[in-house]
Amino acid sequence: MRYERVALVFTIALAMAAPAAAQRYTATQNGDVIELRDTTADMTVSVVAKMSNAYQIQVKGHDLVNTAASVEAFEERPGLSGVPLLAPFANRLDQTAFYANGQKYNFDLELGNVRGPIPSTGYVNGSKDWQLVEFKADATGAWVTNKLDFYRIPIFMKQFPFAHTITMTYRVSNGTLEVHTRLDNLSAQPMPVVIGFHPIFHLPDGNRNDWTVSADAKTHWIEIPERLPTGETQPIENFFKADRQSIHLGQYGLIDDVFTDLVRDADGRATMRLSYNGKELDETLGPKFHTVLLWSTPLTSGGGRGFGAGGRGARGRGQGAAGRGGPGRGAAAPPTPSGPFPVDPAKGVRTAPAATPLSGAPSSVGFIAFEPMVAITNALNLAQTGVYKDLQSIPPGGSWEESFWITTKGF
């Protein structure tokens, strides 16, 4: 009888301990923010649901991406913080118009959410029209799902008249963040898919001059100085003058280039890796992401982390939409449509720029963006001319979905 009582007490103790032990993953809400947590990996992902952006990603207290000073600051000026969605088109177009299904669509520049002469990064980033679908946690992970009814927003449809919805799920599991995106085409015509994302990464140790990149890609697209592909390509090794798995960032100046022919594993995935001092940060792209854009600027002797130094602001980066209105409504005169931008292959940058000399010790850490893209820069218009032959589209009533993953080692 004594042994039976001891066994009963032990069984009750185990039953009481089980829920706590099983609570590896949590999903909690604090105002606009859904926090996903993996306690074993010490990974925390904070998603602003109404913007569907993981504005902060941390592992063991270290920020992995460009992070705003506060949630309030992020909501006011999201810029390129967190995991910006570039939609309905990623990166640049060579004119203030695009082609789809053989039809030319001119942008209405007076709306202010698209600017010329080289439109860039779409205009969904910064929108606060996302709806929270659910947030949950179980024994396999924690996740949050948000949905944007693109077709319900007039100024969105005015610029890209394909009715569709965008559903995004952030999932934390086994020390990895999965970013899953689904597009549902509600229109009566095929809808081209040229979206992308713009996470900006850095490591907790060293700086850009110390870090090494490994890129699972074979082909570099030659560009004119305005960062528009000419249609010519070359092996990635010709661009970097180095092995693609051992690219030392400190040897280069501005990198803002598109790469395709991704090197896939058995699951069809390709990995971009940032490493230094035993620490690694990996971004892995699913099979339907056919392109990656690498962006990194040289270290500067000025303040800050170096974001945008010699970079994209002057070329129209980070337009985004602050809610539905977007910027630029108070312009004194209507903008003038422009393009197509002349593409002269003779101006193509065929080798990586030389490293920028530094005066004194660098005061900024630096960064690199691994931008998962469904297609290359200016894909819509290059497909129309027959230069780009890998354009994906969604049939009427159909859907498109894919993921990319962020994980670390040695943190």
Side-chain angles (χ1 to χ4, degrees):
M1 178 65 83
R2 180 182 171 212
Y3 291 111
E4 291 177 356
R5 285 198 298 268
V6 171
L8 178 61
V9 170
F10 183 69
T11 301
I12 294 173
L14 283 177
M16 294 177 65
Q23 199 67 16
R24 172 174 178 172
Y25 303 106
T26 59
T28 56
Q29 182 172 17
N30 181 12
D32 294 332
V33 178
I34 306 297
E35 182 181 278
L36 309 177
R37 177 110 177 110
D38 178 347
T39 57
T40 301
D42 197 5
M43 184 180 210
T44 304
V45 177
S46 300
V47 179
V48 178
K50 66 183 179 182
M51 302 170 75
S52 197
N53 192 329
Y55 91 98
Q56 186 173 53
I57 304 172
Q58 289 189 330
V59 172
K60 297 183 179 178
H62 299 293
D63 287 319
L64 304 187
V65 296
N66 186 24
T67 305
S70 66
V71 176
E72 293 75 19
F74 171 75
E75 291 185 0
E76 182 179 353
R77 296 181 62 85
L80 294 177
S81 295
V83 185
L85 168 64
L86 310 183
F89 58 89
N91 289 301
R92 301 165 182 84
L93 293 169
D94 64 0
Q95 57 184 301
T96 54
F98 70 92
Y99 286 86
N101 305 318
Q103 174 70 44
K104 184 177 183 180
Y105 296 91
N106 291 292
F107 293 123
D108 184 346
L109 300 185
E110 293 190 53
L111 290 179
N113 57 349
V114 174
R115 296 192 291 273
I118 302 176
S120 181
T121 69
Y123 48 82
V124 165
N125 179 39
S127 170
K128 298 180 174 67
D129 290 300
W130 293 79
Q131 300 298 316
L132 175 62
V133 177
E134 68 171 9
F135 64 96
K136 290 183 179 180
D138 60 19
T140 66
W143 65 93
V144 57
T145 299
N146 307 298
K147 183 178 180 182
L148 179 70
D149 289 333
F150 187 99
Y151 69 95
R152 295 172 61 109
I153 305 175
I155 68 168
F156 284 10
M157 288 292 294
K158 175 72 171 178
Q159 308 288 33
F160 189 79
F162 293 90
H164 67 283
T165 62
I166 309 174
T167 305
M168 287 184 61
T169 298
Y170 292 91
R171 178 183 294 270
V172 171
S173 181
N174 292 320
T176 298
L177 170 63
E178 177 186 6
V179 182
H180 180 84
T181 306
R182 174 179 172 127
L183 306 177
D184 287 283
N185 182 14
L186 308 179
S187 64
Q189 295 185 16
M191 185 182 89
V193 182
V194 289
I195 66 169
F197 289 86
H198 202 306
I200 296 174
F201 299 110
H202 52 262
L203 293 173
D205 293 351
N207 60 45
R208 183 185 188 268
N209 286 353
D210 303 312
W211 302 337
T212 298
V213 166
S214 173
D216 276 354
K218 296 180 181 179
T219 301
H220 168 250
W221 287 71
I222 295 170
E223 301 173 336
I224 62 173
E226 288 75 18
R227 321 313 298 192
L228 292 165
T230 66
E232 296 178 297
T233 62
Q234 63 180 342
I236 187 173
E237 289 83 4
N238 288 12
F239 177 72
F240 285 111
K241 303 299 183 186
D243 188 294
R244 64 175 180 82
Q245 295 181 313
S246 186
I247 301 166
H248 299 286
L249 289 178
Q251 297 179 8
Y252 308 97
L254 171 67
I255 302 169
D256 193 356
D257 290 82
V258 171
F259 302 89
T260 57
D261 296 324
L262 303 188
V263 181
R264 309 283 184 176
D265 63 16
D267 295 320
R269 301 175 181 179
T271 297
M272 312 302 142
R273 175 170 297 154
L274 181 63
S275 61
Y276 173 68
N277 198 28
K279 293 181 173 62
E280 295 180 1
L281 189 157
D282 288 0
E283 179 189 86
T284 301
L285 281 58
K288 293 180 184 177
F289 285 111
H290 291 183
T291 303
V292 65
L293 191 150
L294 306 186
W295 176 45
S296 182
T297 66
L299 293 176
T300 65
S301 58
R305 296 194 65 87
F307 295 109
R312 299 181 168 187
R315 294 189 177 93
R317 282 303 212 178
Q319 293 181 53
R324 297 188 182 184
R329 296 284 295 174
T336 303
S338 57
F341 203 92
V343 174
D344 179 4
K347 295 181 180 178
V349 181
R350 288 167 173 77
T351 59
T356 301
L358 299 174
S359 57
S363 61
S364 58
V365 174
F367 68 92
I368 186 165
F370 298 139
E371 302 180 33
M373 292 167 52
V374 178
I376 67 169
T377 298
N378 198 33
L380 292 169
N381 294 342
L382 290 179
Q384 174 67 17
T385 61
V387 170
Y388 185 65
K389 304 182 186 301
D390 201 19
L391 188 67
Q392 300 177 54
S393 65
I394 309 170
S399 63
W400 178 99
E401 53 188 313
E402 189 53 276
S403 295
F404 68 93
W405 295 263
I406 299 170
T407 191
T408 62
K409 297 177 183 177
F411 274 56

